[in-house]
Amino acid sequence: MLNNNSRGSWSGITGFVLAAIGSAIGLGNVWRFPNITSQNGGGAFVSIYICCVLVVGMPIMLAEFLIGRKTQRNPVGAFRALRPGSPWALTGWLGVVSGFVILSYYSVVGGWVLHYVLLSLKNSFASRSPQEIAGMFTALATSSSLQLFWHLIFMLLTIVIVVGGVRKGIERGNDIMMPLLFLLLCILLVYALRTEGADAGLNFLLYPRWEQITRVSILEALGQAFFSLSLGMGAMITYGSYLGKETRLVHSALYVVVGDTLVAILAGFVIFPLVFTFHLEPAAGPGLIFQTLPIAFSQLPAGHLVSIIFFLLITFAALTSAISLLEVVVAYFVDEKGWGRARASWILGGIIFFCGIPSAIWGQVFDSMDQLATNYLLPLGAFLIAIFTGWTLSHEERHTEFHGGEITTFAYIGWSFLIRFVSPVAVALIFLHKLGMF
Ligand code: PHE
Protein backbone atom coordinates (compact mmCIF):
# COMPACT_ATOMS: atom_id res chain seq x y z
CA MET A 1 0.00 0.00 0.00
CA LEU A 2 1.34 3.39 -0.88
CA ASN A 3 1.56 6.02 1.72
CA ASN A 4 1.29 9.70 1.26
CA ASN A 5 4.93 10.47 1.87
CA SER A 6 6.31 8.38 -0.91
CA ARG A 7 3.89 9.98 -3.41
CA GLY A 8 4.25 13.54 -2.14
CA SER A 9 1.57 15.88 -0.85
CA TRP A 10 0.65 19.58 -0.84
CA SER A 11 1.95 21.73 1.97
CA GLY A 12 -1.56 22.97 2.72
CA ILE A 13 -4.80 24.25 1.27
CA THR A 14 -3.26 27.33 -0.33
CA GLY A 15 -0.72 25.28 -2.23
CA PHE A 16 -3.43 22.93 -3.40
CA VAL A 17 -5.93 25.59 -4.42
CA LEU A 18 -3.28 27.56 -6.29
CA ALA A 19 -2.19 24.43 -8.13
CA ALA A 20 -5.76 23.48 -9.00
CA ILE A 21 -6.52 27.02 -10.17
CA GLY A 22 -3.24 26.89 -12.07
CA SER A 23 -4.39 23.74 -13.81
CA ALA A 24 -7.76 25.25 -14.62
CA ILE A 25 -6.57 28.64 -15.86
CA GLY A 26 -4.77 28.11 -19.11
CA LEU A 27 -5.03 28.48 -22.84
CA GLY A 28 -8.66 27.52 -22.38
CA ASN A 29 -9.30 30.85 -20.68
CA VAL A 30 -7.22 33.25 -22.70
CA TRP A 31 -7.25 31.61 -26.10
CA ARG A 32 -10.28 29.33 -26.44
CA PHE A 33 -12.87 31.20 -24.39
CA PRO A 34 -12.61 34.63 -26.07
CA ASN A 35 -12.67 32.90 -29.44
CA ILE A 36 -15.70 30.76 -28.88
CA THR A 37 -17.57 33.56 -27.17
CA SER A 38 -16.98 35.96 -30.02
CA GLN A 39 -18.24 33.41 -32.53
CA ASN A 40 -21.21 32.18 -30.51
CA GLY A 41 -23.35 35.08 -29.46
CA GLY A 42 -21.29 37.01 -26.89
CA GLY A 43 -23.20 37.46 -23.65
CA ALA A 44 -25.66 34.73 -24.62
CA PHE A 45 -22.80 32.25 -24.73
CA VAL A 46 -21.34 33.61 -21.50
CA SER A 47 -24.67 32.96 -19.72
CA ILE A 48 -24.92 29.41 -21.05
CA TYR A 49 -21.30 28.82 -20.13
CA ILE A 50 -21.82 30.01 -16.56
CA CYS A 51 -24.85 27.69 -16.22
CA CYS A 52 -22.75 24.75 -17.45
CA VAL A 53 -20.00 25.62 -15.01
CA LEU A 54 -22.33 25.82 -12.01
CA VAL A 55 -24.71 22.99 -12.75
CA VAL A 56 -22.34 20.48 -14.34
CA GLY A 57 -18.76 21.64 -13.74
CA MET A 58 -18.80 22.41 -10.04
CA PRO A 59 -20.43 19.08 -8.99
CA ILE A 60 -17.98 17.09 -11.11
CA MET A 61 -15.02 19.02 -9.73
CA LEU A 62 -16.15 18.10 -6.23
CA ALA A 63 -16.56 14.47 -7.31
CA GLU A 64 -13.01 14.39 -8.70
CA PHE A 65 -11.55 15.93 -5.53
CA LEU A 66 -13.48 13.42 -3.48
CA ILE A 67 -12.33 10.38 -5.46
CA GLY A 68 -8.72 11.58 -5.38
CA ARG A 69 -8.54 12.38 -1.72
CA LYS A 70 -10.41 9.26 -0.67
CA THR A 71 -8.06 6.92 -2.52
CA GLN A 72 -4.80 8.94 -2.58
CA ARG A 73 -4.15 7.47 -6.00
CA ASN A 74 -3.80 8.34 -9.66
CA PRO A 75 -7.04 8.04 -11.70
CA VAL A 76 -6.56 4.38 -12.70
CA GLY A 77 -5.50 3.36 -9.19
CA ALA A 78 -8.35 5.35 -7.69
CA PHE A 79 -11.08 3.47 -9.56
CA ARG A 80 -9.27 0.19 -8.91
CA ALA A 81 -9.10 0.94 -5.19
CA LEU A 82 -12.78 1.82 -4.99
CA ARG A 83 -14.16 -0.98 -7.18
CA PRO A 84 -11.42 -3.61 -7.52
CA GLY A 85 -11.62 -5.84 -10.56
CA SER A 86 -14.40 -3.84 -12.20
CA PRO A 87 -14.28 -2.14 -15.62
CA TRP A 88 -14.35 1.23 -13.87
CA ALA A 89 -10.55 1.31 -14.10
CA LEU A 90 -11.16 2.06 -17.79
CA THR A 91 -12.45 5.48 -16.79
CA GLY A 92 -9.07 6.14 -15.21
CA TRP A 93 -7.42 4.90 -18.36
CA LEU A 94 -9.50 7.23 -20.45
CA GLY A 95 -8.10 10.03 -18.30
CA VAL A 96 -4.52 8.96 -18.88
CA VAL A 97 -5.14 8.77 -22.63
CA SER A 98 -6.81 12.20 -22.61
CA GLY A 99 -3.75 13.58 -20.81
CA PHE A 100 -1.60 12.30 -23.67
CA VAL A 101 -3.87 13.64 -26.38
CA ILE A 102 -4.44 17.07 -24.86
CA LEU A 103 -0.86 17.74 -23.83
CA SER A 104 0.44 16.72 -27.25
CA TYR A 105 -1.31 19.63 -28.99
CA TYR A 106 -1.50 21.94 -25.98
CA SER A 107 2.26 22.04 -25.96
CA VAL A 108 2.30 23.13 -29.60
CA VAL A 109 0.20 26.19 -28.71
CA GLY A 110 2.38 26.66 -25.61
CA GLY A 111 5.29 26.77 -28.05
CA TRP A 112 3.59 29.48 -30.16
CA VAL A 113 3.20 31.52 -26.99
CA LEU A 114 6.92 31.20 -26.20
CA HIS A 115 7.73 32.30 -29.73
CA TYR A 116 5.54 35.36 -29.21
CA VAL A 117 7.26 36.14 -25.90
CA LEU A 118 10.49 36.31 -27.85
CA LEU A 119 8.94 38.40 -30.64
CA SER A 120 7.61 40.80 -28.00
CA LEU A 121 10.94 41.03 -26.22
CA LYS A 122 12.54 41.90 -29.54
CA ASN A 123 9.85 44.53 -30.11
CA SER A 124 9.09 42.89 -33.44
CA PHE A 125 5.58 44.29 -33.82
CA ALA A 126 6.63 47.94 -33.68
CA SER A 127 6.29 49.93 -36.89
CA ARG A 128 5.12 46.95 -38.91
CA SER A 129 2.03 46.93 -41.06
CA PRO A 130 -0.96 44.80 -40.01
CA GLN A 131 -0.25 42.49 -42.96
CA GLU A 132 3.32 41.98 -41.86
CA ILE A 133 2.23 41.21 -38.31
CA ALA A 134 -0.44 38.78 -39.43
CA GLY A 135 2.19 37.22 -41.68
CA MET A 136 4.37 36.44 -38.65
CA PHE A 137 1.78 33.99 -37.38
CA THR A 138 1.35 32.44 -40.81
CA ALA A 139 5.12 32.08 -41.01
CA LEU A 140 5.13 30.29 -37.66
CA ALA A 141 2.14 28.10 -38.45
CA THR A 142 3.67 26.96 -41.72
CA SER A 143 7.18 26.36 -40.40
CA SER A 144 7.43 22.84 -39.01
CA SER A 145 10.94 23.34 -37.70
CA LEU A 146 10.11 26.52 -35.81
CA GLN A 147 7.00 24.96 -34.28
CA LEU A 148 8.85 21.80 -33.33
CA PHE A 149 11.60 23.81 -31.72
CA TRP A 150 9.17 25.74 -29.50
CA HIS A 151 7.05 22.66 -28.83
CA LEU A 152 10.22 20.99 -27.57
CA ILE A 153 11.16 23.93 -25.34
CA PHE A 154 7.66 24.06 -23.88
CA MET A 155 7.66 20.31 -23.17
CA LEU A 156 11.09 20.58 -21.55
CA LEU A 157 9.90 23.33 -19.21
CA THR A 158 6.86 21.22 -18.30
CA ILE A 159 8.95 18.12 -17.65
CA VAL A 160 11.50 19.95 -15.50
CA ILE A 161 8.76 21.23 -13.20
CA VAL A 162 7.04 17.84 -12.91
CA VAL A 163 10.35 16.10 -12.18
CA GLY A 164 10.63 18.37 -9.12
CA GLY A 165 7.70 16.55 -7.50
CA VAL A 166 4.44 17.66 -5.95
CA ARG A 167 5.73 20.14 -3.41
CA LYS A 168 9.07 21.23 -4.79
CA GLY A 169 8.08 21.23 -8.45
CA ILE A 170 4.38 21.66 -9.09
CA GLU A 171 3.47 23.57 -5.95
CA ARG A 172 6.48 25.85 -6.11
CA GLY A 173 5.95 26.52 -9.81
CA ASN A 174 2.35 27.51 -9.16
CA ASP A 175 3.28 29.58 -6.09
CA ILE A 176 5.50 31.70 -8.30
CA MET A 177 3.58 31.77 -11.56
CA MET A 178 -0.01 32.17 -10.38
CA PRO A 179 0.45 35.37 -8.31
CA LEU A 180 2.43 36.81 -11.22
CA LEU A 181 -0.35 35.85 -13.58
CA PHE A 182 -2.94 37.67 -11.46
CA LEU A 183 -0.70 40.72 -11.19
CA LEU A 184 -0.10 40.85 -14.94
CA LEU A 185 -3.80 40.40 -15.60
CA CYS A 186 -4.65 43.34 -13.32
CA ILE A 187 -2.10 45.58 -15.04
CA LEU A 188 -3.52 44.67 -18.45
CA LEU A 189 -7.09 45.19 -17.28
CA VAL A 190 -6.44 48.69 -16.01
CA TYR A 191 -4.71 49.43 -19.29
CA ALA A 192 -7.31 47.90 -21.60
CA LEU A 193 -10.31 49.39 -19.86
CA ARG A 194 -8.92 52.87 -20.39
CA THR A 195 -8.65 52.50 -24.14
CA GLU A 196 -11.19 54.07 -26.44
CA GLY A 197 -12.66 50.75 -27.53
CA ALA A 198 -13.44 49.63 -23.97
CA ASP A 199 -17.21 50.16 -24.21
CA ALA A 200 -17.53 48.56 -27.61
CA GLY A 201 -15.31 45.64 -26.51
CA LEU A 202 -17.27 44.92 -23.36
CA ASN A 203 -20.49 45.30 -25.25
CA PHE A 204 -19.35 42.78 -27.83
CA LEU A 205 -18.39 40.29 -25.12
CA LEU A 206 -21.38 40.76 -22.86
CA TYR A 207 -24.33 41.81 -25.03
CA PRO A 208 -26.39 38.65 -25.62
CA ARG A 209 -26.90 37.80 -29.28
CA TRP A 210 -29.28 34.90 -28.80
CA GLU A 211 -29.89 34.52 -32.53
CA GLN A 212 -26.32 33.18 -32.86
CA ILE A 213 -26.93 30.39 -30.33
CA THR A 214 -27.47 26.98 -31.86
CA ARG A 215 -27.51 23.55 -30.28
CA VAL A 216 -23.89 23.26 -31.22
CA SER A 217 -23.15 26.34 -29.11
CA ILE A 218 -24.47 24.47 -26.09
CA LEU A 219 -22.20 21.53 -26.81
CA GLU A 220 -19.35 23.98 -27.20
CA ALA A 221 -20.19 25.61 -23.88
CA LEU A 222 -20.18 22.31 -22.03
CA GLY A 223 -17.00 21.08 -23.70
CA GLN A 224 -15.38 24.42 -22.94
CA ALA A 225 -16.46 24.16 -19.29
CA PHE A 226 -14.80 20.75 -18.93
CA PHE A 227 -11.70 21.87 -20.76
CA SER A 228 -11.34 25.10 -18.85
CA LEU A 229 -11.97 23.52 -15.44
CA SER A 230 -9.63 20.60 -16.27
CA LEU A 231 -12.45 18.12 -15.72
CA GLY A 232 -13.21 14.70 -17.13
CA MET A 233 -9.70 13.31 -17.31
CA GLY A 234 -8.65 12.89 -13.72
CA ALA A 235 -6.40 15.95 -13.40
CA MET A 236 -8.43 16.99 -10.38
CA ILE A 237 -8.49 13.39 -9.10
CA THR A 238 -4.70 13.40 -9.26
CA TYR A 239 -4.33 16.80 -7.60
CA GLY A 240 -6.93 15.77 -4.99
CA SER A 241 -4.95 12.64 -4.26
CA TYR A 242 -2.12 14.71 -2.78
CA LEU A 243 -4.51 16.27 -0.26
CA GLY A 244 -4.61 15.67 3.44
CA LYS A 245 -7.91 14.83 5.10
CA GLU A 246 -8.12 18.26 6.75
CA THR A 247 -8.67 20.20 3.52
CA ARG A 248 -12.14 21.53 2.86
CA LEU A 249 -13.16 20.20 -0.52
CA VAL A 250 -16.25 22.30 -1.13
CA HIS A 251 -14.48 25.58 -0.46
CA SER A 252 -11.56 24.52 -2.63
CA ALA A 253 -13.83 23.57 -5.54
CA LEU A 254 -15.65 26.87 -5.23
CA TYR A 255 -12.43 28.88 -5.34
CA VAL A 256 -11.26 27.03 -8.43
CA VAL A 257 -14.55 27.35 -10.29
CA VAL A 258 -15.02 31.04 -9.49
CA GLY A 259 -11.35 31.89 -10.12
CA ASP A 260 -11.28 30.12 -13.46
CA THR A 261 -14.51 31.64 -14.74
CA LEU A 262 -13.53 35.11 -13.62
CA VAL A 263 -10.19 34.92 -15.38
CA ALA A 264 -11.83 33.73 -18.61
CA ILE A 265 -14.19 36.72 -18.58
CA LEU A 266 -11.47 39.16 -17.53
CA ALA A 267 -9.26 37.90 -20.35
CA GLY A 268 -12.10 38.94 -22.67
CA PHE A 269 -12.14 42.33 -20.90
CA VAL A 270 -8.50 42.75 -21.87
CA ILE A 271 -8.69 41.43 -25.41
CA PHE A 272 -11.84 42.96 -26.90
CA PRO A 273 -11.27 46.59 -25.85
CA LEU A 274 -7.93 46.43 -27.67
CA VAL A 275 -9.51 44.84 -30.72
CA PHE A 276 -12.22 47.50 -30.90
CA THR A 277 -9.86 50.38 -30.26
CA PHE A 278 -8.15 49.54 -33.54
CA HIS A 279 -11.24 48.41 -35.43
CA LEU A 280 -9.89 44.90 -35.87
CA GLU A 281 -11.88 41.74 -36.50
CA PRO A 282 -13.20 40.43 -33.15
CA ALA A 283 -14.26 37.03 -34.48
CA ALA A 284 -10.83 36.23 -35.90
CA GLY A 285 -10.74 32.65 -34.61
CA PRO A 286 -7.55 31.09 -33.31
CA GLY A 287 -5.51 33.96 -34.74
CA LEU A 288 -7.15 36.41 -32.33
CA ILE A 289 -4.36 36.54 -29.80
CA PHE A 290 -1.53 35.81 -32.22
CA GLN A 291 -2.48 38.02 -35.16
CA THR A 292 -5.10 40.52 -34.13
CA LEU A 293 -3.73 41.56 -30.76
CA PRO A 294 -0.14 42.11 -31.90
CA ILE A 295 -1.53 44.52 -34.50
CA ALA A 296 -3.10 46.41 -31.61
CA PHE A 297 0.15 46.22 -29.62
CA SER A 298 2.07 47.71 -32.53
CA GLN A 299 -0.08 50.83 -32.41
CA LEU A 300 -0.62 51.26 -28.69
CA PRO A 301 1.34 53.59 -26.48
CA ALA A 302 3.66 51.36 -24.42
CA GLY A 303 2.57 48.52 -26.69
CA HIS A 304 5.98 46.91 -26.45
CA LEU A 305 5.70 46.48 -22.69
CA VAL A 306 2.05 45.47 -22.90
CA SER A 307 2.83 42.74 -25.40
CA ILE A 308 5.57 41.33 -23.17
CA ILE A 309 3.23 41.30 -20.18
CA PHE A 310 0.45 39.74 -22.22
CA PHE A 311 2.47 36.85 -23.64
CA LEU A 312 4.23 36.19 -20.33
CA LEU A 313 0.82 35.92 -18.68
CA ILE A 314 -0.26 33.35 -21.23
CA THR A 315 3.00 31.45 -20.79
CA PHE A 316 2.38 31.10 -17.06
CA ALA A 317 -1.22 30.10 -17.65
CA ALA A 318 -0.25 27.47 -20.20
CA LEU A 319 2.62 26.02 -18.19
CA THR A 320 0.66 25.61 -14.96
CA SER A 321 -1.98 23.69 -16.94
CA ALA A 322 0.50 21.60 -18.88
CA ILE A 323 2.13 20.36 -15.69
CA SER A 324 -1.20 19.07 -14.46
CA LEU A 325 -1.73 17.22 -17.74
CA LEU A 326 1.67 15.57 -17.51
CA GLU A 327 1.17 14.83 -13.83
CA VAL A 328 -1.86 12.65 -14.55
CA VAL A 329 0.20 10.43 -16.82
CA VAL A 330 3.26 10.45 -14.56
CA ALA A 331 1.24 9.67 -11.42
CA TYR A 332 -0.14 6.57 -13.10
CA PHE A 333 3.32 5.20 -13.90
CA VAL A 334 4.71 6.17 -10.49
CA ASP A 335 1.84 4.64 -8.48
CA GLU A 336 0.95 1.62 -10.55
CA LYS A 337 4.18 0.70 -12.29
CA GLY A 338 6.60 1.74 -9.56
CA TRP A 339 8.61 4.03 -11.83
CA GLY A 340 10.67 6.82 -10.31
CA ARG A 341 9.23 10.29 -10.83
CA ALA A 342 12.17 11.59 -12.85
CA ARG A 343 12.20 8.59 -15.16
CA ALA A 344 8.44 8.72 -15.66
CA SER A 345 8.48 12.45 -16.38
CA TRP A 346 11.28 12.31 -18.92
CA ILE A 347 10.11 9.21 -20.76
CA LEU A 348 6.43 10.10 -20.87
CA GLY A 349 7.08 13.76 -21.57
CA GLY A 350 9.32 12.61 -24.42
CA ILE A 351 6.64 10.35 -25.87
CA ILE A 352 4.07 13.12 -25.64
CA PHE A 353 6.46 15.43 -27.45
CA PHE A 354 6.62 12.93 -30.32
CA CYS A 355 2.85 12.48 -30.32
CA GLY A 356 2.56 16.26 -30.71
CA ILE A 357 4.69 16.40 -33.84
CA PRO A 358 1.79 15.74 -36.25
CA SER A 359 -0.23 18.52 -34.59
CA ALA A 360 2.69 20.89 -35.10
CA ILE A 361 3.00 19.99 -38.76
CA TRP A 362 -0.60 19.59 -39.89
CA GLY A 363 -3.26 22.04 -38.83
CA GLN A 364 -5.98 19.45 -39.48
CA VAL A 365 -4.44 17.01 -37.00
CA PHE A 366 -4.26 19.80 -34.46
CA ASP A 367 -7.94 20.65 -34.95
CA SER A 368 -9.03 17.02 -34.81
CA MET A 369 -7.14 16.47 -31.56
CA ASP A 370 -8.78 19.52 -30.01
CA GLN A 371 -12.22 18.42 -31.21
CA LEU A 372 -11.62 14.86 -30.02
CA ALA A 373 -10.59 16.03 -26.57
CA THR A 374 -13.18 18.72 -25.94
CA ASN A 375 -16.18 17.21 -27.70
CA TYR A 376 -15.67 13.55 -26.84
CA LEU A 377 -12.94 12.52 -24.40
CA LEU A 378 -13.57 15.08 -21.66
CA PRO A 379 -17.40 14.93 -21.77
CA LEU A 380 -17.27 11.12 -21.79
CA GLY A 381 -14.82 11.09 -18.88
CA ALA A 382 -16.94 13.59 -16.97
CA PHE A 383 -20.09 11.55 -17.65
CA LEU A 384 -18.47 8.38 -16.30
CA ILE A 385 -17.08 10.16 -13.25
CA ALA A 386 -20.56 11.56 -12.51
CA ILE A 387 -22.22 8.14 -12.87
CA PHE A 388 -19.55 6.49 -10.76
CA THR A 389 -19.79 9.03 -7.97
CA GLY A 390 -23.57 9.32 -8.03
CA TRP A 391 -24.63 5.75 -8.66
CA THR A 392 -21.77 3.35 -7.95
CA LEU A 393 -20.41 4.85 -4.76
CA SER A 394 -22.76 4.38 -1.84
CA HIS A 395 -24.18 7.27 0.13
CA GLU A 396 -21.83 6.29 3.01
CA GLU A 397 -18.77 6.24 0.77
CA ARG A 398 -19.63 9.70 -0.49
CA HIS A 399 -20.78 11.23 2.71
CA THR A 400 -17.97 10.02 4.96
CA GLU A 401 -15.41 11.71 2.74
CA PHE A 402 -16.75 15.11 3.83
CA HIS A 403 -15.33 15.59 7.27
CA GLY A 404 -16.33 17.76 10.18
CA GLY A 405 -18.98 20.01 8.69
CA GLU A 406 -17.18 20.45 5.40
CA ILE A 407 -20.51 20.38 3.63
CA THR A 408 -23.94 21.33 4.98
CA THR A 409 -26.80 18.85 4.68
CA PHE A 410 -28.52 21.14 2.25
CA ALA A 411 -25.44 21.45 0.04
CA TYR A 412 -24.85 17.70 0.19
CA ILE A 413 -28.38 16.95 -0.98
CA GLY A 414 -28.06 19.53 -3.73
CA TRP A 415 -24.74 18.14 -4.88
CA SER A 416 -26.01 14.53 -4.80
CA PHE A 417 -28.96 15.52 -6.94
CA LEU A 418 -26.81 17.34 -9.47
CA ILE A 419 -24.19 14.61 -9.71
CA ARG A 420 -26.75 11.80 -9.97
CA PHE A 421 -29.27 13.31 -12.30
CA VAL A 422 -28.43 16.67 -13.79
CA SER A 423 -24.78 16.29 -14.82
CA PRO A 424 -25.10 12.87 -16.48
CA VAL A 425 -28.34 13.76 -18.25
CA ALA A 426 -26.92 17.05 -19.53
CA VAL A 427 -23.82 15.36 -20.91
CA ALA A 428 -25.79 12.42 -22.35
CA LEU A 429 -28.28 14.66 -24.16
CA ILE A 430 -25.51 16.63 -25.72
CA PHE A 431 -23.71 13.47 -26.77
CA LEU A 432 -26.80 12.02 -28.36
CA HIS A 433 -27.33 15.22 -30.23
CA LYS A 434 -23.74 15.17 -31.37
CA LEU A 435 -24.19 11.65 -32.65
CA GLY A 436 -27.25 12.84 -34.55
CA MET A 437 -29.67 10.77 -32.49
CA PHE A 438 -32.10 13.52 -31.71
N1 PHE B 1 -7.83 23.77 -18.05
C1 PHE B 1 -6.76 23.96 -18.95
C2 PHE B 1 -6.99 25.23 -19.73
O1 PHE B 1 -7.95 25.91 -19.55
C3 PHE B 1 -6.56 22.77 -19.87
C4 PHE B 1 -6.60 21.44 -19.19
C5 PHE B 1 -7.57 20.52 -19.54
C6 PHE B 1 -5.69 21.13 -18.18
C7 PHE B 1 -7.66 19.30 -18.90
C8 PHE B 1 -5.76 19.91 -17.54
C9 PHE B 1 -6.76 19.01 -17.89
O2 PHE B 1 -6.20 25.60 -20.54
Side-chain angles (χ1 to χ4, degrees):
M1 182 70 190
L2 294 147
N3 67 42
N4 228 354
N5 295 335
S6 67
R7 303 180 72 240
S9 61
W10 307 111
S11 62
I13 184 162
T14 320
F16 164 65
V17 170
L18 266 190
I21 294 189
S23 166
I25 296 175
L27 295 168
N29 304 60
V30 281
W31 178 62
R32 257 180 139 268
F33 181 80
N35 253 334
I36 307 190
T37 308
S38 65
Q39 292 171 353
N40 282 280
F45 185 83
V46 176
S47 336
I48 297 176
Y49 177 74
I50 291 178
C51 286
C52 290
V53 163
L54 292 179
V55 175
V56 186
M58 169 80 191
I60 295 181
M61 169 119 13
L62 200 51
E64 289 207 20
F65 283 172
L66 180 143
I67 294 174
R69 184 174 71 177
K70 198 173 180 61
T71 57
Q72 308 274 299
R73 297 286 187 94
N74 67 92
V76 178
F79 287 99
R80 276 194 190 142
L82 289 168
R83 289 294 176 274
S86 76
W88 279 110
L90 287 175
T91 306
W93 265 108
L94 183 70
V96 175
V97 172
S98 310
F100 257 93
V101 171
I102 299 178
L103 186 52
S104 72
Y105 73 87
Y106 201 86
S107 166
V108 174
V109 187
W112 297 349
V113 178
L114 291 179
H115 179 69
Y116 270 75
V117 171
L118 189 69
L119 288 180
S120 308
L121 286 172
K122 294 199 304 200
N123 203 9
S124 311
F125 310 128
S127 55
R128 293 280 170 87
S129 72
Q131 287 74 14
E132 283 175 311
I133 294 175
M136 291 179 186
F137 183 65
T138 320
L140 172 67
T142 48
S143 161
S144 306
S145 52
L146 200 54
Q147 289 195 81
L148 289 183
F149 170 75
W150 287 113
H151 168 46
L152 178 69
I153 302 288
F154 188 84
M155 262 329 281
L156 285 176
L157 288 173
T158 309
I159 295 172
V160 166
I161 299 175
V162 173
V163 167
V166 177
R167 213 175 280 190
K168 295 218 178 91
I170 303 177
E171 184 170 329
R172 195 188 283 166
N174 277 292
D175 281 355
I176 300 171
M177 288 188 274
M178 291 312 288
L180 277 176
L181 183 146
F182 292 126
L183 179 72
L184 299 181
L185 182 63
C186 290
I187 298 176
L188 287 178
L189 259 179
V190 171
Y191 187 89
L193 292 179
R194 291 167 56 172
T195 55
E196 220 176 279
D199 283 347
L202 297 195
N203 194 31
F204 178 76
L205 184 70
L206 298 178
Y207 184 80
R209 299 183 296 277
W210 288 103
E211 67 286 356
Q212 286 180 13
I213 294 290
T214 61
R215 289 192 202 173
V216 177
S217 326
I218 303 174
L219 173 80
E220 292 270 1
L222 196 66
Q224 170 64 17
F226 292 141
F227 186 84
S228 188
L229 295 171
S230 307
L231 294 177
M233 55 153 291
M236 294 302 177
I237 295 184
T238 310
Y239 273 15
S241 77
Y242 303 125
L243 269 180
K245 295 289 177 198
E246 69 294 341
T247 317
R248 309 182 71 167
L249 297 185
V250 184
H251 283 72
S252 310
L254 210 58
Y255 291 139
V256 180
V257 166
V258 172
D260 183 70
T261 308
L262 212 59
V263 169
I265 295 174
L266 293 182
F269 281 15
V270 169
I271 294 173
F272 293 110
L274 299 184
V275 169
F276 277 87
T277 300
F278 295 99
H279 311 289
L280 301 169
E281 170 53 46
L288 187 63
I289 63 170
F290 296 109
Q291 290 179 304
T292 314
L293 278 189
I295 296 175
F297 295 146
S298 72
Q299 300 172 22
L300 280 171
H304 179 203
L305 192 64
V306 178
S307 67
I308 299 175
I309 297 179
F310 182 78
F311 286 110
L312 271 182
L313 178 151
I314 305 184
T315 305
F316 295 146
L319 257 182
T320 49
S321 300
I323 54 184
S324 71
L325 287 160
L326 183 58
E327 180 61 20
V328 171
V329 183
V330 166
Y332 166 73
F333 280 83
V334 169
D335 288 356
E336 306 296 307
K337 303 280 175 213
W339 288 21
R341 172 171 281 276
R343 177 178 170 218
S345 311
W346 284 108
I347 295 184
L348 298 161
I351 298 177
I352 294 174
F353 167 76
F354 283 106
C355 296
I357 293 178
S359 294
I361 300 180
W362 295 291
Q364 302 92 313
V365 177
F366 179 97
D367 290 341
S368 326
M369 291 291 164
D370 188 42
Q371 293 297 319
L372 174 71
T374 48
N375 286 348
Y376 298 97
L377 296 178
L378 296 183
L380 179 62
F383 175 77
L384 293 172
I385 290 169
I387 296 284
F388 180 81
T389 312
W391 297 95
T392 305
L393 288 185
S394 66
H395 163 71
E396 274 67 40
E397 283 173 301
R398 281 197 302 267
H399 201 253
T400 50
E401 193 47 40
F402 294 110
H403 312 279
E406 224 184 278
I407 193 168
T408 59
T409 313
F410 180 69
Y412 178 77
I413 294 174
W415 173 67
S416 302
F417 177 74
L418 290 175
I419 200 82
R420 300 186 78 184
F421 300 101
V422 181
S423 315
V425 170
V427 185
L429 282 181
I430 284 168
F431 253 131
L432 293 180
H433 174 253
K434 185 78 192 165
L435 298 175
M437 290 192 201
F438 88 105

